Amino acid sequence: MKSDRAVQGLGLVAVLAIVATYILGLWITPPAAVMGNLVRLLYIHPPVAWVAYLAYGVTSVASILYLWKRTRDPRWDLIAASSAEIGVVFTALTLLTGSIWGRPTWGVWWTWDARLTTTALLFLLYVGYLALRRATPDVTQRSKRSAVAALIAFIDVPIVHQSVVWWKTLHQSATVFNASLSPKVHGEMAWTLLLGFIAFSLAYVWMLIRRYQIAVLISKRQEILLQGALDERMSTV
Amino acid sequence: MFKDAWLVASKDLRIERRSRVLTNQLLPFTLVILIIFAFTFDTHPNLLVTLSPGLFWVASLFAMTIALQRSFSLEAENQARDGLLLYGLESAGIFLGKVVAIVIQSAIVELFIGFGIVILYAAPLHEVVFLALSAFTATIGISCVGVVFGAMVTGRSRDSLLPLLIFPVVAPVLLSATKAWEDYVRGKVSLGDPWLGLLVVFAIAFGAVGVLTFGSILEE
Amino acid sequence: MKEMVAGAEVVGGHAQWKELPPTRRRPPSRMRRRIVTLLPVAIVVVALVAVLYKGLSSALVYFYTAQQAVAMRSTLGSSTFRMEGVVVPGTIVSTVNGVNFSIRFNHTVVQVIEVGSPPQLFQPKIPVVVVGHFAGKRFFSDQIMVKHSANYVAAHPGRISHAGGTS
C-alpha cells in the first residue's frame, strides 16, 4: 500500500528529527547564561506542551464537525478520540518534564501557581473525557456525549496558555508564542527549539494516523462481531 | 418551561422527603466529614478556623456529589428518563427542575455544615447574608454542571465517573467560592466582590449550557 | 344520523374533527427560541467577564512583590505568604542554618533570613520567590524558589561548557 509507505516514512522522519533535536540539544547548543546545562530541557518541554495543545485543538475541531449535523460522520469521533489520547500522554509528559526541570531551576518539583494548577486540571479534564468514552457502550451516545465533554474541556486550553500573563506565576511567560510573537531565544538555541517543535509535531501526526487506523479497525471488528452474533441468533431461530 | 421545572423539582423533593435519605444518610455523612477534618487538620491551633472556608466547600461538594448520584439513579430505574420526555415535559424544564431539587437539598446540607463549622471548629462567621448569597450562587453553578454530566453518564460506572468529570470542571467555581468566603470572613464585604461576580458568571454560563444542551443529551 | 369514524364525529354528513389540546412543544420554533435565550445570556456573560477581568487578575495572588509586601506589612502580620524580588548583589551571607540576603523590587529592599539550603541556581541578580513571614522588618523564609525569565541567552561564547556545571 502506497499510503501506508508514506505513513511509515513520516514516522521515520519524525524519529530522525527527534534524534537530531537530542543531538543538537545535548551536544551542539551552548549552555545558557543563567541556567547552564539545565537549559537543554528547553528543547523538549515547550514542544511537548505544544503537541498537547495541538492534539486538544484537533480533538475540538473534530468534535465540532461531529456535532454539526451537516458534517456528522463517525470518523470525526474516532479522530477526536485518537487525538485526545495522544494529548493526555503529552500533557503527562509536559507535567513530568516540567517537574524535572523545575526541581533544579526553581528548587521545587511542584508549586501551586496558576500555570501548573490549570495544566494539572487540563490533564484531569481529558482523562475524564477518555473515561467517559470507556464508560459509554453505545456508539452514537458515546460520540455525542464525548464531543460535548471535549468542547467543555477545551475551554481550559487558552486559560493554561494565558495563565502566565493573567496572573503572577512562578512559571515564566511564553518564550515563543508571546503577545508580540518575538521569540526570546536566538541563534542555534532558537533553531534547535524550532526543530524540536517540528519533530514532535511530526511525531504527533504519525501517532494520530496510526491511532486512528487502530480505532477504525476496532470499530470494524465490533461490527463484525455484532453481525456474527446476529447471524448466529438468526440461524438458531 | 418553569411549570415543568416545578413538576420535576417537586417530584424529586417528594421522593427525597419520603425516602429520608437526606436526613438519615447525607447529613450524618457530612458530620463524619467534619469530624475527620477536625482530627486530621487539628495539628495547629486555629488552623481549622483558617481553613474553614475551604473545608466547608470540600464537604459541600462531597455531599452534593452524592445527592447528584442519587438524583440520577432515580431516573435510571425503569427508564424513568424516557418517561419524563414521553410525558411531554420540556427538556429545559427537566434540567431546571433537577437543578432546583439539587440546590434545595444542597442548601439544607450547607446550612448544616455551616452550623457544624461554627460549633465544632469555633469559626467566627460574620456577614451571614453575604456568605449565604455566595454559597447560593456557587451551589447553582455546581448543580448545573452536575446535572449536565449526571444525565450524560449512564450505566454501571456512573458513581465513580461522575466525580471525575464534575470536579475538574467546577474547580474554578470552588476556588471562587472559597475566596469569596475568605474575603467575607476577613470582613471585606461588598456586593462588588470580584469572586461573587465570578460565581454569578459561572451560574449563568453553566445554567445556559444546561438549558441549551439538555435536550440533545436526553433525546439521543 | 350519527356514526363514529375513528376519532371523527360525523354530524349531518360533515366530519368534525376533535381538536386535540395544542401540544406545548413546537419543534420549528425551538431553534429560534434557543438563540433568543442564548443571546442575552452571552451578552451578560461577556460583560461580566470584562468587568471582572481586572479585579480578578490582581485577586488571584501567587506571590506579592517585595514592594507590595512592605506596603501591606501591617495587614500581613506574621502570616505566611510568597514574596518576589531580585537578589541584591553583595548581600548574600552564608549562615549555619542557611543564607541571609536582601531582595529588591523597584526601590524597595527587604532583608531575608533563609533557613534551609538555597536551590542550585540561587545567585546574585536572579529573581526569586521566597516563602515565609515578616518578623519586624526582616523576612524569615524557609523556601527559596528561583523564578527564571523567559529569555534564553547563550553563556559567554568563548567559554567552553564545563562538565556538569550549571553556571
Side-chain angles (χ1 to χ4, degrees):
Chain A
M1 284 226 299
K2 220 176 185 180
S3 60
D4 201 58
R5 271 286 167 78
V7 178
Q8 262 179 2
L10 176 69
L12 194 66
V13 171
V15 169
L16 288 177
I18 290 175
V19 169
T21 311
Y22 269 81
I23 293 173
L24 281 171
L26 285 177
W27 286 288
I28 311 292
T29 50
V34 178
M35 276 206 183
N37 284 323
L38 293 174
V39 78
R40 301 182 192 287
L41 263 164
L42 171 70
Y43 313 119
I44 304 293
H45 178 69
V48 164
W50 149 254
V51 170
Y53 289 172
L54 177 68
Y56 294 144
V58 170
T59 299
S60 308
V61 173
S63 300
I64 290 171
L65 287 173
Y66 181 85
L67 284 178
W68 200 26
K69 291 214 173 79
R70 229 178 275 173
T71 50
R72 178 163 297 177
D73 189 316
R75 279 178 291 184
W76 292 126
D77 176 56
L78 296 182
I79 292 177
S82 310
S83 192
E85 221 166 79
I86 304 168
V88 166
V89 170
F90 274 83
T91 316
L93 284 175
T94 308
L95 292 170
L96 266 177
T97 53
S99 189
I100 293 170
W101 204 3
R103 176 65 203 177
T105 48
W106 298 340
V108 285
W109 294 107
W110 185 267
T111 186
W112 293 104
D113 81 349
R115 169 59 75 83
L116 277 68
T117 312
T118 48
T119 312
L121 276 181
L122 186 68
F123 176 69
L124 291 172
L125 282 167
Y126 280 95
V127 166
Y129 168 86
L130 293 180
L132 176 66
R133 294 190 67 89
R134 232 160 215 291
T136 321
D138 182 272
V139 181
T140 339
Q141 276 186 353
R142 176 171 65 213
S143 314
K144 268 196 198 169
R145 293 173 182 181
S146 60
V148 173
L151 292 181
I152 294 173
F154 191 75
I155 300 171
D156 194 30
V157 170
I159 298 177
V160 170
H161 188 71
Q162 288 301 310
S163 58
V164 288
V165 182
W166 289 344
W167 299 292
K168 289 189 276 190
T169 53
L170 186 64
H171 193 285
Q172 64 235 39
S173 54
T175 297
V176 182
F177 300 108
N178 47 30
S180 52
L181 277 177
S182 56
K184 295 180 198 162
V185 52
H186 299 284
E188 37 192 355
M189 297 170 83
W191 291 116
T192 310
L193 180 58
L194 179 66
L195 181 66
F197 275 108
I198 295 171
F200 282 100
S201 304
L202 287 175
Y204 162 74
V205 175
W206 179 78
M207 287 163 113
L208 179 63
I209 295 172
R210 283 297 188 226
R211 183 65 188 84
Y212 170 71
Q213 287 171 338
I214 295 170
V216 170
L217 288 178
I218 291 173
S219 65
K220 270 190 189 153
R221 175 173 170 272
Q222 269 159 352
E223 273 169 33
I224 293 170
L225 285 178
L226 185 67
Q227 197 55 49
L230 281 175
D231 290 347
E232 202 178 310
R233 235 353 192 346
M234 297 304 276
S235 62
T236 53
V237 168
Chain B
M1 186 167 85
F2 294 107
K3 207 177 154 201
D4 294 355
W6 173 242
L7 280 173
V8 173
S10 55
K11 171 204 75 120
D12 274 15
L13 289 174
R14 199 172 303 129
I15 294 174
E16 291 305 325
R17 202 183 64 216
R18 290 188 185 156
S19 66
R20 294 181 206 284
V21 168
L22 183 72
T23 48
N24 292 6
Q25 293 172 16
L26 217 46
L27 294 185
F29 171 67
T30 53
L31 189 61
V32 172
I33 298 181
L34 287 181
I35 291 170
I36 288 177
F37 279 161
F39 61 72
T40 45
F41 291 110
D42 202 21
T43 48
H44 199 281
N46 267 340
L47 188 61
L48 278 173
V49 176
T50 327
L51 292 180
S52 55
L55 298 181
F56 173 88
W57 280 108
V58 173
S60 303
L61 186 64
F62 285 164
M64 284 179 76
T65 313
I66 294 175
L68 278 164
Q69 284 165 345
R70 259 194 68 71
S71 165
F72 282 95
S73 63
L74 290 176
E75 308 296 347
E77 280 169 32
N78 306 325
Q79 270 117 35
R81 250 164 83 123
D82 300 336
L84 286 178
L85 285 175
L86 289 174
Y87 283 133
L89 296 179
E90 262 183 78
S91 50
I94 300 176
F95 169 76
L96 289 179
K98 284 268 165 203
V99 170
V100 168
I102 295 286
V103 168
I104 291 176
Q105 290 178 56
S106 309
I108 297 170
V109 173
E110 281 166 15
L111 200 66
F112 183 76
I113 301 176
F115 274 119
I117 283 177
V118 172
I119 294 165
L120 296 177
Y121 301 171
L125 294 187
H126 318 291
E127 312 300 343
V128 180
V129 177
F130 280 92
L131 287 175
L133 186 65
S134 57
F136 187 63
T137 2
T139 307
I140 293 176
I142 297 173
S143 305
C144 291
V145 176
V147 171
V148 168
F149 279 118
M152 236 190 236
V153 185
T154 44
R156 265 172 303 167
S157 50
R158 184 191 330 101
D159 291 356
S160 51
L161 185 52
L162 198 55
L164 174 61
L165 290 175
I166 295 175
F167 286 8
V169 177
V170 300
V173 185
L174 217 60
L175 171 79
S176 317
T178 311
K179 293 283 176 190
W181 270 52
E182 279 174 4
D183 279 358
Y184 298 146
V185 168
R186 261 196 247 124
K188 281 197 334 196
V189 178
S190 76
L191 265 179
D193 189 278
W195 296 110
L196 181 61
L198 198 62
L199 288 174
V200 174
V201 171
F202 282 129
I204 296 175
F206 289 143
V209 168
V211 167
L212 294 177
T213 60
F214 212 64
S216 43
I217 293 173
L218 284 182
E219 282 165 19
E220 60 199 5
Chain C
M1 188 184 158
K2 209 173 172 185
E3 51 182 315
M4 295 291 288
V5 186
E9 216 175 325
V10 183
V11 183
H14 294 284
Q16 279 184 328
W17 292 92
K18 273 184 187 163
E19 281 281 311
L20 279 171
T23 49
R24 278 187 288 163
R25 204 198 283 240
R26 278 156 297 171
S29 66
R30 253 176 104 194
M31 193 69 199
R32 183 171 298 163
R33 243 181 28 214
R34 276 188 182 193
I35 293 168
V36 170
T37 7
L38 186 64
L39 256 180
V41 166
I43 292 167
V44 169
V45 168
V46 167
L48 274 170
V49 166
V51 173
L52 286 171
Y53 172 69
K54 222 178 152 48
L56 279 176
S57 52
S58 59
L60 197 70
V61 173
Y62 176 73
F63 55 70
Y64 295 112
T65 63
Q67 201 176 16
Q68 288 171 328
V70 168
M72 294 166 62
R73 188 156 54 202
S74 56
T75 47
L76 286 168
S78 63
S79 61
T80 304
F81 63 97
R82 303 188 187 93
M83 181 172 72
E84 188 212 13
V86 177
V87 179
V88 182
T91 58
I92 304 178
V93 181
S94 289
T95 61
V96 186
N97 294 327
V99 60
N100 295 353
F101 58 99
S102 295
I103 61 171
R104 193 186 65 214
F105 195 91
N106 288 341
H107 296 294
T108 314
V109 177
V110 179
Q111 201 192 344
V112 178
I113 298 185
E114 156 81 10
V115 177
S117 52
Q120 215 173 335
L121 285 187
F122 181 75
Q123 55 189 276
K125 284 189 188 171
I126 203 161
V128 291
V129 173
V130 286
V131 188
H133 58 89
F134 273 119
K137 285 200 153 186
R138 291 182 302 182
F139 188 86
F140 283 80
S141 143
D142 51 16
Q143 189 175 41
I144 305 174
M145 291 182 282
V146 170
K147 186 171 165 25
H148 190 270
S149 72
N151 297 312
Y152 297 95
V153 187
H156 195 267
R159 206 167 64 188
I160 308 294
S161 59
H162 39 97
T166 48
S167 58

